[in-house]
Amino acid sequence: MFETAESTERVILLGVELPSSQNFDMSMLELASLAQTAGAEVVRSYRQKRDKYDSKSFVGSGKLQEIAAMIEADQIDMVIVNNRLTPRQNSNLEQAFGVKVIDRMQLILDIFAMRARSHEGKLQVHLAQLKYMLPRLAGQGVMLSRQAGGIGSRGPGESQLELNRRSIRHQISDIERQLKIVEKTRSTIRDKRLESTVFKIGLIGYTNAGKSTLMNRLTDNGQYEADELFATLNATTKQIYLKDQFQATLTDTVGFIQDLPTELVAAFKSTLEESRHVDLLLHVIDASDSNHAEQEQVVLDILQDLDMLQIPRLAIYNKMDQTDNLLATVFPNIRISLKNPDSRQSLRRQILDEIEQIFLPFSIKVGPDKLYKLHDLSKFALLDPYDYNQASPEVSGFIAEKNKWRLEEFYD
């Protein structure tokens, strides 16, 4: 369904910094990483400071000529723009450069198309791409005449790019119908999980912060992990044991990024909602990244948009082996390197400490006829050590408020 480039495309990056632009340098570095993730060779990066974008050509005429000369002299295949282009700007830039031009949004959509593995993931990416392309069908020149595929052309493919608006809208409606069926199934599974007494933990964080690595450390599971952006797209939930028989579920979701295309936020709503109903969020942060503070804020902003700021959070500063100078800005936190085998136990201890802050303390006296029930109690409560040899031991620990009624089984 998805095409890949047969040879590495040589690309130029282009960004315009406005007075209102935030984290521009970080954004340009990120664009280079995104391009490399998509399989491109970044030859050069251009930037221009302007009071506003040129409505026709995005950049000024002088910069336009400079880039056009570079494209001709250095056999450039494509220009990637760091901002969202209007259809008119996209068309005019392609006419001026004579090569394919895509913007940051289309690049991210392309990477998602490359990474999607599940049926639902492919449907969601397909839907996002079609919605993005719909207003851009008219007069796209090079974009619609390309035959070779490559970056920016994965997913629906060249034939679908040439479909008329009515056909595209029909496909959108059909995919949305299929996704409703998938989402209904996912919702049923999620509702059953919510009814469960099991404690739920969600992993969040900027893309490539180490969420999948953390999940593998806690679950011994073969979740795909790599030093690349958007290595994980589909929500994955696994069961873990944090202490004795105490069970929890751990959900890994897609990484966040600044300026995530609105088409993808809507398309992946059901996936992101997997983390909306958890009891604790683990916010994984790449401590070695010089822009980690800005990345932290992006995650917090998205959490606010998803109405998730009220969920208890533990910040995990990962990759501490690659940095000597860290100014932590998110609390509470733990500083580790997931490459270190000892990180697993220290992480478990910190998670248990946070759960104790969420749970309610309790103390009960267990009669000899009810000792057998302690095994089941330890599955959803954190029990302190007690004397097994006593006929009626005093048992204390922590339990979720919603499960406190279970203690009534031990009262006479």
Side-chain angles (χ1 to χ4, degrees):
M1 181 177 178
F2 302 114
E3 299 177 3
T4 56
E6 294 183 358
S7 59
T8 302
E9 294 179 84
R10 294 168 55 82
V11 306
I12 284 177
L13 308 182
L14 172 61
V16 169
E17 182 177 8
L18 303 181
S20 60
S21 297
Q22 296 182 345
N23 307 324
F24 181 75
D25 290 338
M26 166 186 159
S27 181
M28 289 298 291
L29 289 172
E30 199 169 78
L31 184 67
S33 296
L34 287 167
Q36 291 165 0
T37 297
E41 175 190 354
V42 178
V43 177
R44 189 165 177 180
S45 178
Y46 287 89
R47 56 181 67 196
Q48 186 177 48
K49 289 187 177 182
R50 293 180 60 89
D51 292 331
K52 62 179 182 179
Y53 304 127
D54 188 288
S55 60
K56 294 182 179 179
S57 58
F58 182 68
V59 293
S61 57
K63 184 64 68 175
L64 207 64
Q65 294 174 5
E66 180 185 353
I67 296 174
M70 174 69 177
I71 290 172
E72 184 176 359
D74 213 2
Q75 297 181 328
I76 300 300
D77 300 305
M78 180 172 57
V79 175
I80 303 177
V81 179
N82 195 35
N83 312 81
R84 182 183 285 262
L85 296 173
T86 66
R88 182 187 186 190
Q89 289 170 333
N90 206 131
S91 178
N92 290 338
L93 285 176
E94 288 192 336
Q95 290 179 13
F97 296 151
V99 296
K100 182 167 61 178
V101 176
I102 66 173
D103 61 20
R104 180 188 184 93
M105 311 309 153
Q106 190 167 358
L107 178 61
I108 294 175
L109 288 170
D110 186 81
I111 294 173
F112 270 64
M114 182 171 59
R115 293 278 187 264
R117 292 293 180 268
S118 70
H119 175 64
E120 180 186 9
K122 292 177 181 179
L123 284 176
Q124 289 168 330
V125 173
H126 195 161
L127 177 64
Q129 289 182 310
L130 290 174
K131 285 185 174 180
Y132 180 85
M133 290 188 295
L134 183 58
R136 290 167 168 77
L137 288 177
Q140 282 205 349
V142 175
M143 286 290 290
L144 290 183
S145 65
R146 65 174 180 261
Q147 300 293 327
I151 298 171
S153 60
R154 299 183 179 100
E158 180 258 345
S159 63
Q160 290 182 347
L161 289 173
E162 296 173 347
L163 292 174
N164 57 46
R165 285 188 175 90
R166 180 177 299 179
S167 177
I168 292 290
R169 290 193 182 103
H170 176 75
Q171 291 181 72
I172 289 174
S173 297
D174 183 60
I175 293 174
E176 287 178 338
R177 177 187 59 78
Q178 295 182 58
L179 279 175
K180 283 182 180 179
I181 297 174
V182 175
E183 288 170 5
K184 186 176 181 180
T185 303
R186 181 186 290 275
S187 177
T188 301
I189 296 173
R190 183 166 55 242
D191 289 343
K192 289 182 179 179
R193 193 181 302 141
L194 289 174
E195 294 171 0
S196 169
T197 58
V198 175
F199 190 82
K200 291 168 284 295
I201 303 173
L203 293 179
I204 59 167
Y206 214 75
T207 181
N208 202 33
K211 297 184 298 301
S212 296
T213 302
L214 185 148
M215 188 168 193
N216 287 338
R217 296 298 177 274
L218 289 178
T219 65
D220 294 324
N221 185 266
Q223 177 80 341
Y224 179 71
E225 57 181 81
D227 185 17
E228 56 190 23
L229 304 184
F230 301 122
T232 301
L233 284 190
N234 306 304
T236 304
T237 300
K238 300 294 180 182
Q239 187 179 65
I240 60 174
Y241 290 88
L242 291 172
K243 177 184 178 181
D244 300 326
Q245 299 301 312
F246 183 78
Q247 299 176 7
T249 58
L250 186 62
T251 299
D252 185 15
T253 58
V254 62
F256 298 152
I257 194 170
Q258 68 172 333
D259 300 326
L260 186 69
T262 55
E263 295 86 358
L264 272 179
V265 173
F268 278 81
K269 182 180 178 181
S270 61
T271 302
L272 295 176
E273 281 186 345
E274 287 296 301
S275 293
R276 291 192 65 179
H277 306 285
V278 298
D279 302 298
L280 174 67
L281 287 171
L282 302 183
H283 179 182
V284 186
I285 301 166
D286 182 355
S288 67
D289 195 307
S290 58
N291 296 306
H292 71 80
E294 290 81 3
Q295 294 175 358
E296 293 164 11
Q297 192 57 51
V298 169
V299 173
L300 294 178
D301 289 343
I302 295 177
L303 288 179
Q304 184 173 14
D305 292 341
L306 295 173
D307 194 25
M308 292 170 59
L309 281 179
Q310 77 283 359
I311 302 175
R313 295 189 307 277
L314 169 64
I316 300 172
Y317 283 95
N318 183 30
K319 307 182 185 181
M320 287 300 297
D321 58 313
Q322 301 177 31
T323 181
D324 297 322
N325 185 21
L326 172 69
L327 180 62
T329 56
V330 182
F331 299 90
N333 64 60
I334 180 175
R335 310 178 189 196
I336 60 175
S337 170
L338 290 170
K339 290 183 177 180
N340 187 336
D342 296 334
S343 65
R344 176 173 175 170
Q345 292 305 317
S346 58
L347 181 58
R348 283 176 180 269
R349 284 195 298 269
Q350 187 66 38
I351 292 175
L352 287 170
D353 288 344
E354 294 304 314
I355 295 176
E356 289 182 1
Q357 297 297 318
I358 299 170
F359 280 9
L360 300 174
F362 73 91
S363 180
I364 56 174
K365 188 170 184 177
V366 182
D369 60 327
K370 296 179 181 178
L371 282 174
Y372 71 95
K373 292 185 177 181
L374 287 176
H375 181 272
D376 289 335
L377 180 62
S378 68
K379 292 180 180 179
F380 51 85
L382 296 173
L383 303 183
D384 294 332
Y386 60 90
D387 189 350
Y388 288 89
N389 297 319
Q390 286 187 4
S392 300
E394 287 279 351
V395 177
S396 60
F398 299 85
I399 192 169
E401 185 172 7
K402 66 179 181 181
N403 293 327
K404 196 173 181 181
W405 63 272
R406 294 292 188 96
L407 298 178
E408 296 176 2
E409 300 177 27
F410 295 89
Y411 301 149
D412 292 327

